[in-house]
Amino acid sequence: MKIIPIITAILVLVGLYFVVFERDRLRDFAQGAPAQEQTLTTTQAPTDDVAAPTDESIIGVVALHSVAQTIDSAVILRGQTEAARQVTVASETSGLVISEPLRKGASVNEGDEMCRLDPGTRQASLAEARARLAEAQGRVPEAEAGVLEANARVREAEINLNAARSLSEDGFASETRVVSAQAAMEAATAGVQRASSAVASAQAGIESAQAAVASATREIEKLTIRAPFSGLLETDTAELGALMQPGTPCATIIQLNEIKLVGFAPETDVSKVTVGALAGARLSDGQQVQGRVTFRSRSADELTRTFRVEVTVNNPDLAISDGQTAEILIASDGRAAHLIAQSSLTLDDDGVLGVRTVSEGNIAKFMPVTLLRDTADGVWVTDLPETVDIITVGQEFVIDGVKVAPTFSEAKG
């Protein structure tokens, strides 16, 4: 009778064991699952539990292994075209315009007549000056003859003086005669000086008359206003019958066979610009031109703190006009830079632009960068090491010193 309660207790214990400890196997057995599949499921469960991350402080990120490339760090400026030369030609004298006007846009060569003024009495003034010159030139021979005559009188007085002295020593002439001969000698010498002064005065008269002729000739030359260089008229020349005064404009002329591209470089880029460097430009109409840097200002503009840069370009067909907008690219020495996606850029707590990188030991580290150029493929940045692992996804969720688990992506070709 005591065996039955013991067996019952054993069966209850076995049932409780299966219900508590083997309930999954018991359920699979009740559903008819094969024993082998049950075993496989049982062995896989612990494996999955091991694969799950156990350190919540490690943050997964996507990184890019970047290698620096040498790129042409051209300086990009925005400016406009300017004529190589431009001048407003003005009158130097007064008078009425007696020439037919030339219309703006006309081509002129160096020395071509643009305005001609009425000579008035200037021809008469020139004739008078020439007559005075001839008169002054005629006085010179007369003055030179006076010098010869005075020299002859000096020689005569010298002979008389010597003779008087000899006779006085022998007692045949008085002392008074010697004194008279001495006075005549001094008078003859003074006559030579007067004659020489007359020659000098005649020479001065010639020079004065020559100056008057040159002045009258120059006044006549001023009546014709000529082109100082070859170019195009930007304005009409003075109208027929207009009264010109000194400083009155005749016309404005510009030279376009060479043209300047003018831009203003910021302080950060001016050191990259050198005179003689190759430069190119894209004009507002899409035309592309090439030239070389011919000028770089050494003094910054007081308001904008920029430096004027000029590029000279040949324009033989006059296709480039004055005042066109231009995007100027000036060649500079190459620099090592990394090409990254713009989304990889971030800011540190101080607002400095940079990238988050994966340093030794998979530790996140911020590195500041300098933006060189923005392209369709990304941005070129510098101030990074030759090779660097840049976090491209997840950089906003980490700070310096945080351990990361990087997954590396391939760089775009």
Side-chain angles (χ1 to χ4, degrees):
M1 294 297 293
K2 293 182 179 181
I3 296 178
I4 294 176
I6 295 174
I7 294 174
T8 302
I10 292 173
L11 292 176
V12 171
L13 290 175
V14 172
L16 290 175
Y17 172 80
F18 279 101
V19 170
V20 175
F21 297 101
E22 301 292 340
R23 57 182 178 180
D24 292 335
R25 185 176 300 180
L26 182 63
R27 184 176 58 251
D28 293 338
F29 176 78
Q31 294 176 354
Q36 183 178 358
E37 185 176 345
Q38 295 173 6
T39 304
L40 181 60
T41 304
T42 304
T43 56
Q44 285 180 347
T47 304
D48 293 339
D49 292 341
V50 173
T54 59
D55 190 352
E56 295 181 357
S57 64
I58 300 178
I59 300 177
V61 295
V62 178
L64 171 69
H65 185 71
S66 179
V67 179
Q69 305 176 45
T70 301
I71 64 169
D72 181 14
S73 56
V75 178
I76 302 177
L77 307 177
R78 282 171 176 78
Q80 64 180 16
T81 61
E82 283 187 8
R85 290 180 176 180
Q86 178 170 339
V87 65
T88 298
V89 184
S91 175
E92 297 181 72
T93 188
S94 59
L96 294 175
V97 178
I98 59 175
S99 60
E100 291 292 334
L102 301 175
R103 298 307 176 189
K104 56 187 174 184
S107 177
V108 293
N109 295 319
E110 181 179 354
D112 285 356
E113 178 185 294
M114 295 193 298
C115 296
R116 187 170 72 256
L117 307 183
D118 182 15
T121 60
R122 291 176 177 83
Q123 290 291 353
S125 299
L126 176 61
E128 182 182 359
R130 286 174 176 170
R132 290 178 178 176
L133 175 61
E135 182 181 358
Q137 290 172 340
R139 292 196 186 104
V140 173
E142 181 181 354
E144 290 176 346
V147 171
L148 294 176
E149 182 181 355
N151 287 328
R153 287 177 181 176
V154 168
R155 289 193 296 272
E156 181 183 1
E158 185 178 4
I159 292 173
N160 292 335
L161 178 60
N162 292 333
R165 284 174 176 172
S166 297
L167 292 174
S168 178
E169 290 175 356
D170 294 337
F172 297 105
S174 65
E175 188 68 24
T176 303
R177 184 176 178 181
V178 174
V179 174
S180 177
Q182 182 70 36
M185 178 66 180
E186 292 176 356
T189 302
V192 172
Q193 293 178 351
R194 285 194 300 271
S196 298
S197 297
V199 172
S201 178
Q203 293 289 352
I206 291 176
E207 293 179 0
S208 177
Q210 288 175 338
V213 170
S215 178
T217 303
R218 179 65 185 126
E219 280 296 314
I220 293 177
E221 291 175 352
K222 291 178 182 178
L223 298 174
T224 303
I225 303 175
R226 301 185 181 277
F229 50 80
S230 300
L232 298 175
L233 290 178
E234 191 68 6
T235 62
D236 294 340
T237 60
E239 188 59 61
L240 177 66
L243 176 61
M244 303 285 282
Q245 298 289 347
T248 303
C250 168
T252 298
I253 182 173
I254 61 175
Q255 188 180 67
L256 294 177
N257 56 350
E258 278 189 346
I259 203 159
K260 294 183 293 186
L261 307 175
V262 179
F264 294 87
E267 294 176 293
T268 54
D269 291 337
V270 68
S271 60
K272 304 175 187 176
V273 179
T274 57
V275 175
L278 185 65
R282 186 192 306 274
L283 304 182
S284 55
D285 58 1
Q287 183 180 0
Q288 296 185 0
V289 294
Q290 272 194 342
R292 291 193 177 275
V293 177
T294 53
F295 173 76
R296 189 196 74 178
S297 175
R298 299 288 180 175
S299 176
D301 184 270
E302 293 184 358
L303 296 179
T304 62
R305 311 306 304 167
T306 56
F307 295 78
R308 182 183 175 96
V309 177
E310 295 181 4
V311 177
T312 301
V313 175
N314 289 327
N315 186 31
D317 54 357
L318 308 184
I320 307 174
S321 302
D322 179 32
Q324 285 186 256
T325 303
E327 184 180 27
I328 308 168
L329 285 83
I330 302 174
S332 181
D333 294 336
R335 297 186 64 182
H338 294 261
L339 178 62
I340 64 174
Q342 191 171 12
S343 59
S344 301
L345 297 174
T346 187
L347 299 174
D348 66 359
D349 295 337
D350 297 325
V352 178
L353 182 68
V355 294
R356 298 281 181 189
T357 63
V358 180
S359 63
E360 186 178 356
N362 289 345
I363 302 299
K365 181 182 179 182
F366 177 84
M367 288 188 177
V369 299
T370 299
L371 185 64
L372 288 183
R373 191 182 306 166
D374 189 358
T375 67
D377 297 327
V379 291
W380 289 95
V381 296
T382 187
D383 296 338
L384 292 175
E386 182 72 18
T387 59
V388 63
D389 296 331
I390 301 173
I391 300 176
T392 57
V393 177
Q395 70 273 19
E396 301 295 344
F397 303 103
V398 296
I399 60 174
D400 285 3
V402 172
K403 190 174 182 64
V404 296
T407 300
F408 287 93
S409 62
E410 295 183 359
K412 295 181 179 180

